[in-house]
């Protein structure tokens, strides 16, 4: 009897589908873009239309990205959106006495190519060549540094002029230290793959709290704009964290005019821009903190030649990592993993 019921249901389902029973939005409509293009520039105007697969009677159609409705005029929409990167273009199609919502994956990239910058060395300072630098930031003329590698990860307070470590807190050997930032008399520090970050009192470097990551799976770089924390995680995303709750509230994606970039490492925020070390490279990206557009790239090639190399260094050790801005001196300080020098530099267009 059960076999007979199953056979009957199968026949009815086949008949229903053959008679046009599939009324899912995707079976009715599709979004048509020029030449099936998938990548566009910010603020670009593009023609858009609806593919009417079942010849329904169409009414109004509205388009949106990230919940923001895009004005349409003569079949053209403008990609005037604040955040760039991987996006979902949605269309709400009114037809007959109903409506359907459909979507299409696109990429919205920067409107122009990044400019090229170089550097001028102002001065060189000593730096601990056993400091596997992951985070670097100034506060009141004092340099704070976080270091990595399991078994030698630490948080440090340093006299940048002499390289002397004024105070040092070691992390448990199970943690691989990553980036740091300072906000409201607290030091926030990441670890790499443990999904855990720590909060320290700025005055005495005592640990006062810890937090778990949300959707970001790893900890890389950290900085802040005075209100929010910015966190890189080894993907194209830079996350916005609430400094009180440590919740990841939003993110931007790092993009050029040609592609989406996933190599932001150590971070520094200056005047609306995020300066990000390019992972395992001698470059620093200059990223618009609102849109994610990469506006410039600083080529620090040649700095590593001025450093005394360890005989045991691997290719991943001998890399630039660590950038801090000194607001009073209006200069940047950069170093690398286990480098014996800290460089004060001015960044300038090439």
């Amino acid at each position: 009897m059960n076999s007979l019921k199953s056979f009957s249901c199968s026949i009815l389902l086949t008949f229903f589908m053959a008679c046009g029973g599939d009324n899912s939005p995707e079976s009715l409509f599709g979004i048509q873009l020029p030449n099936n293009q998938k990548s566009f520039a910010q603020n670009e105007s593009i023609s858009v239309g609806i593919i009417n697969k079942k010849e329904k009677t169409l009414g109004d159609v509205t388009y949106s990205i990230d919940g923001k409705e895009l004005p349409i005029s003569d079949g053209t929409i403008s990609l005037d959106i604040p955040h760039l990167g991987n996006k979902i273009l949605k269309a709400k199609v009114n037809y007959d006495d109903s409506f359907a919502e459909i979507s299409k994956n696109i990429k919205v990239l920067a409107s122009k190519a990044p400019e090229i910058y170089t550097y001028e060395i102002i001065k060189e300072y000593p730096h601990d060549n056993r400091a596997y630098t992951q985070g670097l930031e100034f506060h009141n003329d004092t340099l704070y540094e976080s270091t990595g590698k399991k078994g030698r990860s630490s948080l440090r307070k340093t006299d940048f002029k002499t390289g002397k470590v004024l105070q040092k807190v070691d992390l448990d050997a199970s943690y691989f230290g990553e980036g740091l930032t300072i906000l409201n008399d607290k030091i926030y520090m990441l670890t790499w793959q443990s999904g855990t970050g720590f909060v320290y009192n700025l005055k005495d470097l005592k640990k006062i709290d810890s937090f778990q990551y949300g959707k970001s799976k790893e900890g890389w770089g950290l900085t802040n704009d005075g209100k929010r924390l910015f966190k890189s995680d080894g993907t194209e995303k830079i996350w916005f964290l609430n400094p009180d709750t440590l919740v990841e509230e939003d993110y931007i994606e790092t993009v050029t005019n040609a592609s989406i970039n996933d190599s932001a490492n150590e971070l520094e925020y200056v005047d609306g821009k995020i300066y990000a070390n390019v992972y395992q490279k001698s470059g620093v990206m200059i990223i618009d903190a609102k849109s994610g557009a990469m506006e410039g790239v600083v080529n620090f090639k040649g700095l590593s030649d001025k450093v005394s190399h360890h005989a045991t260094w691997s290719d991943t050790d001998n890399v630039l990592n660590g950038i801090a801005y000194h607001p009073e001196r209006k200069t940047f300080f950069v170093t690398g993993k286990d480098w014996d020098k800290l460089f004060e530099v001015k960044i300038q267009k090439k």
Side-chain angles (χ1 to χ4, degrees), residues 125-129 131 133 136 145 163 335-336 338-342:
Y125 303 92
H127 181 256
D128 182 3
N129 67 358
T133 305
L136 209 62
E145 182 173 9
T335 189
D338 290 340
W339 283 15
D340 63 354
K341 291 181 181 179
L342 174 73

Side-chain angles (χ1 to χ4, degrees), residues 176-178 190-196 213 217-220 279:
F176 192 119
E178 286 286 346
L190 302 175
T191 62
W192 183 24
Q193 294 179 319
S194 62
T196 302
Y213 306 158
K217 302 303 180 184
E218 295 184 354
W220 286 45
Y279 180 57

Side-chain angles (χ1 to χ4, degrees), residues 117-298:
Y117 290 76
T118 186
Y119 64 96
E120 175 190 352
I121 297 176
I122 304 302
K123 196 169 183 179
E124 298 179 7
Y125 303 92
H127 181 256
D128 182 3
N129 67 358
R130 292 293 293 168
Y132 195 81
T133 305
Q134 301 286 53
L136 209 62
E137 188 164 312
F138 276 101
H139 182 78
N140 293 341
D141 204 42
T142 299
L143 186 63
Y144 292 79
E145 182 173 9
S146 55
T147 68
K149 291 288 189 183
K150 289 186 177 181
R152 58 187 182 103
S153 293
S154 65
L155 168 63
R156 302 168 176 222
K157 181 179 178 180
T158 305
D159 181 344
F160 76 90
K161 295 178 182 178
T162 65
K164 181 181 179 181
V165 177
L166 305 175
Q167 193 174 355
K168 178 170 169 279
V169 176
D170 292 320
L171 273 64
D172 184 272
S174 62
Y175 291 110
F176 192 119
E178 286 286 346
L180 66 73
T181 194
I182 300 168
L183 180 63
N184 297 331
D185 296 324
K186 295 177 182 178
I187 302 173
Y188 300 85
M189 181 176 172
L190 302 175
T191 62
W192 183 24
Q193 294 179 319
S194 62
T196 302
F198 299 110
V199 185
Y200 299 85
N201 187 304
L202 176 63
K203 185 177 180 180
D204 54 18
L205 301 193
K206 287 186 178 180
K207 186 166 64 177
I208 56 177
D209 203 358
S210 64
F211 60 97
Q212 300 299 306
Y213 306 158
K215 292 183 179 179
S216 64
K217 302 303 180 184
E218 295 184 354
W220 286 45
L222 201 61
T223 188
N224 75 86
D225 65 354
K227 297 179 180 178
R228 300 177 295 180
L229 309 182
F230 298 90
K231 175 182 183 291
S232 60
D233 66 351
T235 71
E236 70 279 3
K237 295 181 174 65
I238 295 178
W239 297 85
F240 303 160
L241 276 65
N242 183 307
D244 297 320
T245 65
L246 283 308
V247 171
E248 296 161 359
E249 297 180 334
D250 203 353
Y251 64 84
I252 54 174
E253 295 183 17
T254 304
V255 306
T256 67
N257 61 315
S259 64
I260 296 176
N261 187 283
D262 63 356
S263 57
N265 196 3
E266 214 273 292
L267 309 177
E268 179 78 343
Y269 178 92
V270 184
D271 296 333
K273 313 298 178 187
I274 297 173
Y275 291 74
N277 282 114
V278 180
Y279 180 57
Q280 294 188 354
K281 302 291 183 182
S282 59
V284 167
M285 299 179 284
I286 304 175
I287 303 163
D288 182 85
K290 291 183 178 179
S291 69
M294 191 190 305
E295 298 181 344
V297 177
V298 189

